Structures are given as C-alpha cells and as structure tokens.
Amino acid sequence: MAPCQETLFRTSYTVAFLYSASARVSESFCHISVHRQHVNLAFMRGSLLPDANGLLVGDGAWMRHIHV
C-alpha cells in the first residue's frame, strides 16, 4: 500500500508498529507487535478476511492476528 504511514507505539509490555494510509492511528489497517517470546501480525478488520487455513487467532468483533 502506498503511501503508507508507519507509527511506533510503545506500552509497558510491547512495542508495536502500526500501518495506516494516513497519520491517524485510528485508521491503521494492521500492526506488528513485538513481545518477549513471540511476534504478532494483526489485522484490524481481520474478522472480515477469509481464513481457509485457520491461521488467524482471536475472537473479538474485529481484530485477528497471526502468532509467530
């Protein structure tokens, strides 16, 4: 996706890179969060994505992620 805005987001337990078409974090479409023992690739509207192989994890209304 071009142009793409990358935003670094830090909390007490993770660092995440959010990707959006604009500078607004609320409009991000995916993010990569780095944890001590794994990395998540998350999709903000992941519940709408086809997932024939069952790779996406999550049971919330929208977000799904791949645990690596």
Side-chain angles (χ1 to χ4, degrees), residues 19-68:
Y19 297 93
S20 175
S22 73
R24 297 182 64 181
V25 172
S26 63
E27 295 178 359
S28 60
F29 57 88
C30 75
H31 74 262
I32 299 169
S33 60
V34 181
H35 303 265
R36 283 186 187 191
Q37 307 224 350
H38 68 280
V39 173
N40 285 337
L41 172 59
F43 303 95
M44 303 312 186
R45 301 284 187 230
S47 63
L48 303 176
L49 295 173
D51 186 23
N53 295 323
L55 297 175
L56 296 174
V57 177
D59 55 4
W62 294 103
M63 192 179 306
R64 299 290 184 272
H65 68 277
I66 298 171
H67 186 89
V68 181

